[in-house]
Amino acid sequence: MSDMIPKGGIAPLVPELDVCDLARSLAFWCDGLGFRVAYARRETGFAFLQRERAQIMLEQVNGNWVTAPMTPPFGRGINLQITVECTEDILTRLSILDWPLFRPLHDAWYRAGEEEVGCRQFLVQDPDGYLLRFCESLGRRRLSPGGPASSH
């Protein structure tokens, strides 16, 4: 871990999540999900995490950005899709932690124009209730004559 910007730079969109207990969240995100701390400002309760090309910021709740009362589960109404090369490693890590899944691993196909885009995905909530959807690509296929398998 360093206190420098990640070597690949910062993505154009990086969510910053307020968390109740930064140490607990870091254990979940790093040990459970395989992210690494790219840099942190421990004195202010901040960490910038990265896994493959996905980036996220975690900050101990401090009132700076609070627009309404913070009551768990946080992030209601949003799920963060995180694309990974393979979901298997994350599922193994979560199993070791005995962490429950919100939705089990499944394959989904979504219409995109005249084809479908496939992903193998599962959903899990972090310690503060943020809903995370991890997916790996299953590629693309032509639309079946009966229409799309699911919509998004």
Side-chain angles (χ1 to χ4, degrees):
M1 178 182 65
S2 71
D3 62 353
M4 305 296 287
I5 300 293
K7 288 182 182 176
I10 295 177
L13 176 65
V14 182
E16 181 173 340
L17 307 179
D18 278 351
V19 299
C20 292
D21 181 337
L22 183 61
R24 181 172 185 230
S25 292
L26 285 174
F28 172 79
W29 282 85
C30 295
D31 298 340
L33 303 178
F35 278 76
R36 66 174 181 76
V37 177
Y39 74 94
R41 294 187 301 271
R42 300 270 187 199
E43 69 279 6
T44 62
F46 173 85
F48 189 106
L49 308 179
Q50 186 163 3
R51 178 190 168 108
E52 299 173 27
R53 295 182 355 224
Q55 299 176 334
I56 191 119
M57 297 180 285
L58 304 178
E59 183 163 38
Q60 184 93 22
V61 175
N62 60 23
N64 286 342
W65 306 105
V66 176
T67 59
M70 298 288 291
T71 56
F74 296 167
R76 283 175 257 162
I78 188 172
N79 78 73
L80 301 175
Q81 177 178 304
I82 303 168
T83 302
V84 294
E85 291 293 321
C86 181
T87 55
E88 186 176 325
D89 171 60
I90 301 169
L91 289 168
T92 299
R93 289 168 170 271
L94 291 172
S95 177
I96 290 168
L97 294 178
D98 198 28
W99 200 273
L101 298 181
F102 183 81
R103 293 266 161 78
L105 185 68
H106 62 281
D107 293 350
W109 291 89
Y110 302 105
R111 187 187 65 74
E114 298 298 316
E115 60 185 5
E116 291 178 311
V117 177
C119 64
R120 178 160 291 139
Q121 62 187 11
F122 70 91
L123 288 89
V124 63
Q125 287 182 279
D126 86 342
D128 292 291
Y130 292 106
L131 188 58
L132 313 172
R133 181 164 48 118
F134 286 87
C135 61
E136 67 179 271
S137 176
L138 294 175
R140 297 172 177 266
R141 67 183 186 193
R142 289 197 174 280
L143 273 176
S144 59
S150 62
S151 60
H152 188 52

